[in-house]
Amino acid sequence: MKNKILLTFSLYLLSGAVGLAQFPGQFPGQSPAQSGDAKPSSLNLPGQRYPQVDSQRRAIFQLRAPEATTVKIHLVDDEYDMVKGDNGVWSYTSEPMDLGFHYYWYVIDGASVTDPASKTFYGNSRLSGGIEVPSPEEDFYHFKDVPHGVVSERWYLSKSANAGRRVFVYTPPDYDTNTTARYPVLYLRHGGGEDETGWSVQGYMSFIMDNLIAEKKAVPMIIVMDSGAAGGMGMGMGGGSNTMVTELIPMIDSTYRTIADRDHRGMAGLSLGGTQTFQTTQANLDQFAWIAAFSSPFQFPDVKTGYNGLMADPEAFAKQVKLFYLSMGENEVRWGGTRPYHEELEKAGIKHVYYESPGTSHEWQTWRRSLYDLAPRLFRFETEE
Amino acid sequence: MKNKILLTFSLYLLSGAVGLAQFPGQFPGQSPAQSGDAKPSSLNLPGQRYPQVDSQRRAIFQLRAPEATTVKIHLVDDEYDMVKGDNGVWSYTSEPMDLGFHYYWYVIDGASVTDPASKTFYGNSRLSGGIEVPSPEEDFYHFKDVPHGVVSERWYLSKSANAGRRVFVYTPPDYDTNTTARYPVLYLRHGGGEDETGWSVQGYMSFIMDNLIAEKKAVPMIIVMDSGAAGGMGMGMGGGSNTMVTELIPMIDSTYRTIADRDHRGMAGLSLGGTQTFQTTQANLDQFAWIAAFSSPFQFPDVKTGYNGLMADPEAFAKQVKLFYLSMGENEVRWGGTRPYHEELEKAGIKHVYYESPGTSHEWQTWRRSLYDLAPRLFRFETEE
């Protein structure tokens, strides 16, 4: 294992180029690493050497702040002291981290600010930096030499808000060439404190779908990513549910070549977006037949009264709901309600699929894997199986 | 004038909603302003009250940094001291600023960092904050209730780099419904230190084009925005010229319904992107018939030897080059070579169009106006006039 990593690293130094599957992001670091076998995070801006990640999954941060008295780093959910070194450069090396994407920012003498060395990501109701811990065994979310769909930024007039609203829409690789085909649609929600950019940026959803479709593991589908925040903060319960059904779905169905019925429409969401998925689909089961919640924190539909009582009749529920999908990260604690809910569903005999992401927590690697596991199950009908 | 602004502001307070043309950006501020008639910048993240802009076009910045010794703000091209007030909040009020978009960041005890209250924008080879000074007399770049095109993020394999490369493509409102129509293509470059996101984010190019096309002032066209940086830093001369012709244009022509000839292909760019436009079109005049440079800093084609000597024969040049378009901001000094070049072209009798943006400098308001002035002139042929 160690030899393999050293070999990979040597090739990286020699080639000066970026392997197709090595850096999923746009901006590979440009300079050789300094400390041990650490390499610049794939989310660094061009020319930025820090932050770095080593083969032990430790993240190494450096920030020049010569006159600062205290510098801390906020990484995932905690704050850590950085240490001042020569030339006014502060540094911090983390413990081994979970695989995948993590938010971070700096607190300099009490000011909470964003590292200009990193691409920025909307999470925690702010823009912050991000660090990517590579997962050597996984490449399902990497850019590969396959046909690519696109993610379109679309603005439309929301009549209820009397304002422009933005939505991102993934269309599969054959959408523009197969001009008479019609497609099923998945509505895909971000988490609390995130926004409609989350799935296409942190989530690499387009690479995940491109790869699945190229391998014929998933049927080509349109994926719509809107904001779950009705008011702006991204934390509202049920945010956007009403306008999804009254404004967004009609706009999508009149703009794209969709199959505009409930059998070909699904909704999925992560964390708070999972809760919103439960709310929206319970209130509008005539609109959605495919339902998925990743790491939903609370408000799981009651096994007796959920879905307007439909859950009390498992056979009827399974007939109406083509897929009831739940997932969480193996290490989730704080928002770990999904596993007990899965057990409750089992006991009640309610048909569903439960996926658990090994070794990850309430973060994007769990949700990337969840989408990868979910998408092949979507819009498959009995007759096809 | 003052009354009109006060009225507008009062309506804003009363309505709690965002007027269609008032905030071009996604994130209107949510709280009423505090100082005089200042309002949150339209580029603030949800819930963020600062920075603000008042009716005198002054920008007001506030940052909480209770333990900092010195805090400066880097605004446009200069650094200014901020002043510490109660509760550890530092503030700075600018002189009246030019209309439109301006980059800024903070320097806290020597650390150059990004304000987490602002959306972030790639410029100066980094992500920084942005502030938008509204222009009450202009709404051509605002979201309006018209048919909208989309901006698609497309990844493709660059064979020369053996890596994924990202490009943004604007398709006009009727592209998806008018499925047999073919369209001319404009290749549109950002400036030095910026990237392929510049035109669709800072430039509001999609709103500009949607509005022009809705008014039938511009013909529907595809606009391709790639990175002018071959190596990553965005400052490379001629960056990407080769791959534009060898890789990008063939990919675009095989992926979109383009009219794939030089008469229906143009290139434009701002600042360094203008210089790249001169370089690329001089080396590939068989590929482009429409040429535009906004605020190009240097390397203007020589009036005798430019375009392989074609410029020495103004009649032949005008026949080959359907449009030779130049623009700059009235107040540009440092990179103000365009006006003298325009005068030189006049003297030499070389047909061209020159536009000067009133009261603006080497910034985005100049370039938004330049695109608005340029686009109606593109892909118009003698027979149409």
Side-chain angles (χ1 to χ4, degrees):
Chain A
M1 182 59 170
K2 197 180 168 195
N3 279 344
K4 189 185 165 195
I5 287 166
L6 282 173
L7 176 64
T8 305
F9 181 53
S10 305
L11 288 172
Y12 168 70
L13 284 181
L14 283 170
S15 70
V18 178
L20 271 188
Q22 197 164 359
F23 289 97
Q26 181 199 8
F27 301 119
Q30 311 237 308
S31 311
Q34 284 204 315
S35 52
D37 61 0
K39 298 196 274 196
S41 163
S42 62
L43 305 180
N44 292 2
L45 289 176
Q48 298 294 336
R49 285 167 46 214
Y50 286 90
Q52 303 194 341
V53 184
D54 72 10
S55 62
Q56 307 303 299
R57 306 195 318 271
R58 290 177 302 202
I60 301 142
F61 298 87
Q62 286 200 358
L63 175 77
R64 188 174 149 75
E67 296 139 40
T69 309
T70 64
V71 179
K72 295 166 193 277
I73 180 169
H74 185 112
L75 181 60
V76 191
D77 290 325
D78 288 300
E79 242 174 48
Y80 306 92
D81 290 321
M82 298 184 76
V83 177
K84 194 172 189 171
D86 295 342
N87 303 320
V89 173
W90 297 72
S91 56
Y92 170 74
T93 299
S94 77
E95 294 295 306
M97 302 191 71
D98 285 354
L99 300 171
F101 176 91
H102 311 284
Y103 293 108
Y104 78 96
W105 59 82
Y106 293 127
V107 183
I108 305 175
D109 288 338
S112 177
V113 290
T114 307
D115 183 1
S118 170
K119 287 177 75 175
T120 55
F121 304 89
Y122 196 72
N124 301 287
S125 301
R126 60 175 285 168
L127 282 163
S128 58
I131 187 158
E132 181 75 30
V133 177
S135 178
E137 309 294 320
E138 294 173 292
D139 67 358
F140 69 89
Y141 54 100
H142 291 196
F143 175 88
K144 295 183 190 176
D145 184 12
V146 297
H148 291 280
V150 295
V151 174
S152 299
E153 176 179 356
R154 179 177 287 279
W155 285 81
Y156 67 104
L157 178 65
S158 163
K159 288 202 174 134
S160 65
N162 193 32
R165 189 170 280 173
R166 183 171 70 165
V167 63
F168 289 93
V169 181
Y170 170 83
T171 44
D174 66 346
Y175 186 85
D176 282 327
T177 50
N178 204 352
T179 56
T180 56
R182 304 192 75 90
Y183 298 82
V185 185
L186 175 67
Y187 290 80
L188 185 60
R189 276 278 168 83
H190 59 83
E194 297 177 335
D195 70 10
E196 67 273 26
T197 62
W199 270 107
S200 60
V201 178
Q202 292 95 306
Y204 293 124
M205 64 74 53
S206 70
F207 295 160
I208 294 172
M209 294 307 300
D210 291 345
N211 294 335
L212 283 171
I213 292 168
E215 292 188 66
K216 297 194 187 305
K217 287 182 180 165
V219 302
M221 65 186 81
I222 293 169
I223 298 186
V224 178
M225 295 155 283
D226 71 330
S227 167
M233 290 299 287
M235 295 301 288
M237 291 301 299
S241 307
N242 289 333
T243 58
M244 175 184 280
V245 171
T246 57
E247 298 187 353
L248 182 61
I249 290 177
M251 186 280 283
I252 292 294
D253 282 337
S254 67
T255 307
Y256 293 88
R257 283 177 275 110
T258 65
I259 307 172
D261 61 32
R262 73 179 291 277
D263 275 1
H264 297 86
R265 191 181 298 122
M267 182 171 179
L270 72 89
S271 192
L272 184 63
T275 302
Q276 292 174 346
T277 298
F278 290 140
Q279 293 175 323
T280 302
T281 56
Q282 288 190 89
N284 303 279
L285 196 57
D286 58 326
Q287 299 286 328
F288 303 93
W290 309 79
I291 299 164
F294 311 152
S295 304
S296 183
F298 37 62
Q299 294 199 356
F300 296 93
D302 184 90
V303 295
K304 286 292 174 205
T305 61
Y307 287 88
N308 296 315
L310 191 65
M311 282 190 130
D313 181 349
E315 207 169 317
F317 182 77
K319 207 171 171 183
Q320 279 282 309
V321 178
K322 306 289 180 199
L323 178 66
F324 194 61
Y325 182 96
L326 305 162
S327 74
M328 65 175 272
E330 180 189 24
N331 298 339
E332 293 201 45
V333 178
R334 189 174 168 203
W335 302 118
T338 301
R339 193 188 301 135
Y341 182 60
H342 150 63
E343 288 158 5
E344 214 183 328
L345 291 170
E346 289 281 295
K347 264 187 218 155
I350 294 172
K351 191 178 171 188
H352 67 287
V353 171
Y354 175 66
Y355 165 71
E356 200 165 287
S357 164
T360 62
S361 186
H362 200 78
E363 287 190 289
W364 274 99
Q365 198 72 356
T366 298
W367 306 321
R368 292 169 180 168
R369 288 176 179 169
S370 295
L371 178 63
Y372 181 69
D373 185 70
L374 166 70
R377 305 173 191 272
L378 289 173
F379 312 119
R380 305 280 193 188
F381 299 94
E382 300 288 327
T383 52
E384 295 179 57
E385 287 162 2
Chain B
M1 181 61 170
K2 198 181 167 194
N3 279 345
K4 189 184 165 195
I5 288 165
L6 283 174
L7 177 65
T8 306
F9 181 53
S10 305
L11 288 173
Y12 169 70
L13 284 181
L14 284 171
S15 71
V18 178
L20 272 188
Q22 196 166 2
F23 290 96
Q26 181 199 8
F27 301 119
Q30 310 237 308
S31 310
Q34 284 204 315
S35 53
D37 61 359
K39 300 195 274 194
S41 162
S42 62
L43 305 179
N44 292 2
L45 290 175
Q48 297 295 337
R49 283 167 46 214
Y50 286 90
Q52 302 194 343
V53 184
D54 72 12
S55 62
Q56 308 302 302
R57 307 194 319 271
R58 290 177 302 202
I60 302 142
F61 298 88
Q62 287 200 357
L63 175 76
R64 188 175 149 73
E67 296 139 39
T69 309
T70 64
V71 180
K72 295 167 194 278
I73 180 167
H74 185 111
L75 181 61
V76 190
D77 290 325
D78 290 300
E79 242 172 48
Y80 306 92
D81 289 322
M82 298 183 76
V83 176
K84 193 172 188 171
D86 295 341
N87 303 320
V89 174
W90 297 71
S91 57
Y92 171 74
T93 299
S94 78
E95 294 295 306
M97 303 192 71
D98 284 354
L99 299 172
F101 177 90
H102 311 284
Y103 293 108
Y104 78 95
W105 60 81
Y106 293 126
V107 183
I108 305 174
D109 287 338
S112 176
V113 290
T114 306
D115 184 1
S118 171
K119 287 178 75 173
T120 56
F121 304 88
Y122 195 71
N124 302 288
S125 300
R126 60 175 285 169
L127 281 163
S128 58
I131 187 159
E132 180 76 30
V133 177
S135 178
E137 309 295 319
E138 295 173 292
D139 66 359
F140 70 89
Y141 53 100
H142 292 196
F143 175 88
K144 295 182 189 176
D145 184 12
V146 297
H148 291 279
V150 296
V151 174
S152 299
E153 176 179 355
R154 178 176 288 281
W155 285 81
Y156 66 104
L157 178 66
S158 163
K159 288 203 174 132
S160 65
N162 193 31
R165 190 169 278 174
R166 183 171 69 166
V167 63
F168 289 92
V169 181
Y170 170 83
T171 44
D174 65 346
Y175 186 85
D176 282 327
T177 50
N178 205 351
T179 57
T180 57
R182 303 192 77 89
Y183 298 83
V185 185
L186 175 68
Y187 290 80
L188 185 60
R189 277 278 168 83
H190 59 84
E194 297 177 336
D195 70 10
E196 67 272 26
T197 61
W199 270 108
S200 59
V201 179
Q202 292 96 305
Y204 293 124
M205 64 73 55
S206 71
F207 294 160
I208 294 172
M209 295 306 301
D210 290 346
N211 293 336
L212 283 171
I213 292 169
E215 293 188 65
K216 297 194 188 303
K217 287 183 181 164
V219 301
M221 65 186 81
I222 293 168
I223 298 186
V224 178
M225 295 155 283
D226 71 330
S227 168
M233 290 301 286
M235 296 299 289
M237 293 301 298
S241 307
N242 290 334
T243 59
M244 175 184 279
V245 171
T246 56
E247 298 188 352
L248 182 60
I249 291 177
M251 186 281 283
I252 293 293
D253 282 336
S254 68
T255 307
Y256 292 88
R257 283 177 274 110
T258 65
I259 307 171
D261 61 32
R262 72 179 291 278
D263 275 1
H264 297 86
R265 191 182 297 122
M267 182 171 178
L270 73 89
S271 191
L272 184 63
T275 303
Q276 292 173 346
T277 298
F278 290 140
Q279 294 175 323
T280 302
T281 57
Q282 287 190 89
N284 302 279
L285 197 57
D286 60 324
Q287 299 286 327
F288 303 92
W290 309 79
I291 299 165
F294 312 152
S295 306
S296 183
F298 38 62
Q299 294 198 358
F300 296 93
D302 184 271
V303 296
K304 286 292 174 204
T305 60
Y307 288 88
N308 296 314
L310 191 65
M311 281 189 132
D313 181 348
E315 207 169 319
F317 183 76
K319 207 170 170 185
Q320 279 281 308
V321 178
K322 306 288 179 199
L323 178 66
F324 194 61
Y325 183 96
L326 305 161
S327 74
M328 66 176 273
E330 180 189 22
N331 299 339
E332 292 201 45
V333 179
R334 191 174 167 201
W335 302 117
T338 300
R339 193 189 301 138
Y341 183 58
H342 150 62
E343 287 157 5
E344 213 182 328
L345 291 171
E346 288 281 296
K347 265 187 219 156
I350 294 172
K351 192 178 170 189
H352 66 287
V353 171
Y354 175 65
Y355 165 72
E356 200 166 287
S357 164
T360 63
S361 187
H362 201 77
E363 287 190 290
W364 275 98
Q365 198 72 356
T366 298
W367 306 321
R368 292 169 180 169
R369 288 176 178 167
S370 295
L371 177 63
Y372 181 69
D373 185 70
L374 167 70
R377 306 172 191 274
L378 289 173
F379 312 119
R380 304 279 192 187
F381 298 94
E382 302 288 329
T383 52
E384 294 180 58
E385 287 162 2

